[in-house]
Amino acid sequence: MKQLGISIYPEYGFKEKDYDYMTKASELGFSRIFMCFLSVNPDHLEQAKTTYKEYIEFAHNLGFEVALDTNEIVFKELGAKITDLSVFKEMGVDILRLDVGFGMFGDMMIVKNTSGIKVEFNASFNSGMSLLLENGVPKERILACHNFYPQKHTGLSFESFVNRTNELVSQNISVGAFVSSNNENTFGPWKNIESGLPTLEMHRGLPIDAQARHLVSLGNIDTIIIGNAYATDEELKSLSDINFENSSIRIDYDRELDSNEAKILFVDNHFIRPDSSDYLYRSLTSKMVAKNMSIKPCVSDRAFFQRGDVLIINDNLKRYAGEVQIVTDTIPNEGYQNFVGSIPKNEMMILNEIKAGSSVTFLR
């Protein structure tokens, strides 16, 4: 099951804003909330427990599942034990996120808790989940979620992210990751988060929907959470509009499309032919949609088309008229290609994940 999530930080006392934010997100289909207990002042533990319990109850009434970030220090402060998670159960926690594990035995005992709480491990570290599974812990109780990184240049490299995610997915463990709002004056567990809270360094500063659509294009991220608060209404809506079932990509349009071109390009799903070449991805769907359509030539003055250019074959090559193509390597302009536009630079990371046999949607 795919999920969108937000992060809420009750310790700052913005209750009215937090409740309004949760309500908006719920109405848009968000279903996970991340909360963090690592930044709670130890001098205010009892008040924090009461506040978090109230927040979690409100979140549950909106249909949210709530994950609480903890570590060994939090356990000690709250009097929790690896064999007794009742304090978290009383707060209403659904998922206990372990920022750092408790060792093989400790992790095993936590996962086997009698409180019915699922356990989420830090996917950005190698926490030995394969050993837990080999020792018979219930797989349905285990989740994983990557870290977020407040400091510039410290987010995960793409290679590291992919390797760690693939390792977990190969064990049938559900994996989540964070994207970051670009709203002003956002915050996280620590105030004044000026550089956002993404998982991937390459996502920092990019439009939030591009970050999320890139994660979707990887095909193995089940939960996407906004790390900082508060995302704008527009950002929340942009995430709620994302199709989790296939890659979606924007185009910088060169011109206004005619009605036939638009009908072909904006179908829900372009299936990329499995026999695509080194130079082009060809849409199988577009040929079926374009049957019996005329595609008036709209010849571009470009001598060559480059990687990321999107084309529609016109009537100068009638047999293939209406076929949508994405250029993957430089080709000459032969006069039978209508130039639609180019995939922008900050969307090329999504194109990099599209392969022969993929499904793609072009956004208006």
Side-chain angles (χ1 to χ4, degrees):
M1 177 182 173
K2 307 296 185 181
Q3 286 184 302
L4 289 171
I6 57 173
S7 298
I8 295 290
Y9 301 99
E11 62 268 33
Y12 294 124
F14 303 138
K15 184 174 182 178
E16 186 175 344
K17 285 186 177 180
D18 290 338
Y19 279 25
D20 181 59
Y21 189 50
M22 285 190 273
T23 301
K24 287 179 181 178
S26 172
E27 290 171 349
L28 289 169
F30 286 66
S31 58
R32 173 79 74 88
I33 286 179
F34 169 86
M35 293 184 186
C36 180
F37 219 84
L38 306 184
S39 53
V40 170
N41 188 330
D43 295 332
H44 302 146
L45 283 181
E46 290 305 315
Q47 179 58 49
K49 284 163 58 178
T50 300
T51 300
Y52 274 66
K53 182 177 181 179
E54 291 173 356
Y55 268 68
I56 292 171
E57 183 177 358
F58 184 83
H60 284 165
N61 288 335
L62 292 172
F64 283 106
E65 188 175 35
V66 179
L68 184 68
D69 201 16
T70 67
N71 60 16
E72 191 170 355
I73 295 173
V74 171
F75 267 59
K76 289 179 180 177
E77 290 174 344
L78 292 176
K81 299 180 175 61
I82 60 174
T83 55
D84 181 8
L85 305 184
S86 58
V87 64
F88 299 114
K89 181 69 173 179
E90 289 167 7
M91 291 167 61
V93 173
D94 302 297
I95 301 167
L96 200 62
R97 185 180 190 272
L98 303 183
D99 188 53
V100 178
F102 285 68
M104 175 65 183
F105 177 75
D107 289 348
M108 186 184 305
M109 297 305 295
I110 292 172
V111 174
K112 290 184 175 181
N113 72 84
T114 58
S115 297
I117 298 175
K118 288 183 279 189
V119 180
E120 185 172 81
F121 290 94
N122 190 334
S124 300
F125 296 138
N126 183 1
S127 58
M129 278 173 270
S130 58
L131 290 176
L132 290 177
L133 296 174
E134 289 173 9
N135 281 275
V137 300
K139 183 179 291 187
E140 65 276 8
R141 289 274 192 92
I142 294 180
L143 303 169
C145 184
H146 285 282
N147 270 345
F148 51 49
Y149 295 88
Q151 185 183 163
K152 283 184 179 180
H153 312 303
T154 63
L156 286 183
S157 70
F158 184 64
E159 181 181 7
S160 177
F161 177 84
V162 169
N163 289 341
R164 293 182 185 282
T165 299
N166 287 344
E167 180 183 352
L168 295 168
V169 170
S170 70
Q171 299 166 50
N172 295 315
I173 295 172
S174 178
V175 180
F178 289 92
V179 294
S180 185
S181 167
N182 292 301
N183 197 9
E184 295 182 354
N185 302 316
T186 63
F187 59 93
W190 306 272
K191 283 193 175 180
N192 303 319
I193 302 296
E194 297 178 356
S195 302
L197 289 177
T199 288
L200 279 163
E201 188 59 39
M202 67 188 297
H203 285 172
R204 199 180 302 275
L206 295 182
I208 194 169
D209 70 303
Q211 300 173 51
R213 287 185 288 106
H214 182 222
L215 294 178
V216 170
S217 73
L218 300 177
N220 55 11
I221 298 297
D222 294 317
T223 304
I224 298 175
I225 305 167
I226 304 172
N228 49 349
Y230 305 96
T232 66
D233 292 352
E234 293 75 18
E235 287 179 323
L236 292 175
K237 180 66 166 61
S238 72
L239 293 194
S240 72
D241 287 339
I242 290 175
N243 181 351
F244 270 86
E245 299 307 316
N246 58 273
S247 298
S248 53
I249 199 161
R250 294 194 185 281
I251 300 172
D252 285 337
Y253 293 96
D254 182 64
R255 59 185 171 82
E256 185 175 350
L257 305 183
D258 70 27
S259 59
N260 282 351
E261 288 176 316
K263 286 177 184 175
I264 295 167
L265 190 69
F266 297 128
V267 296
D268 290 340
N269 190 347
H270 285 274
F271 180 72
I272 303 300
R273 287 177 56 147
D275 60 345
S276 293
S277 75
D278 290 334
Y279 297 90
L280 297 165
Y281 288 140
R282 303 168 64 192
S283 166
L284 188 63
T285 311
S286 60
K287 282 289 290 172
M288 295 185 286
V289 175
K291 188 175 182 180
N292 300 323
M293 282 188 186
S294 174
I295 305 300
K296 181 180 176 180
C298 183
V299 180
S300 170
D301 60 2
R302 296 176 176 226
F304 294 90
F305 297 117
Q306 309 291 336
R307 178 175 174 81
D309 288 346
V310 179
L311 315 173
I312 299 179
I313 302 302
N314 62 44
D315 288 345
N316 287 339
L317 194 63
K318 189 64 180 177
R319 176 178 173 81
Y320 297 99
E323 180 176 273
V324 173
Q325 300 179 342
I326 305 174
V327 179
T328 54
D329 202 353
T330 304
I331 60 171
N333 183 348
E334 307 282 5
Y336 54 74
Q337 307 110 317
N338 284 1
F339 176 58
V340 171
S342 301
I343 296 168
K345 183 178 179 180
N346 62 14
E347 302 263 338
M348 293 297 281
M349 59 187 179
I350 301 174
L351 176 59
N352 293 340
E353 300 309 315
I354 295 172
K355 304 290 188 293
S358 296
S359 294
V360 183
T361 299
F362 296 105
L363 301 176
R364 294 179 184 268

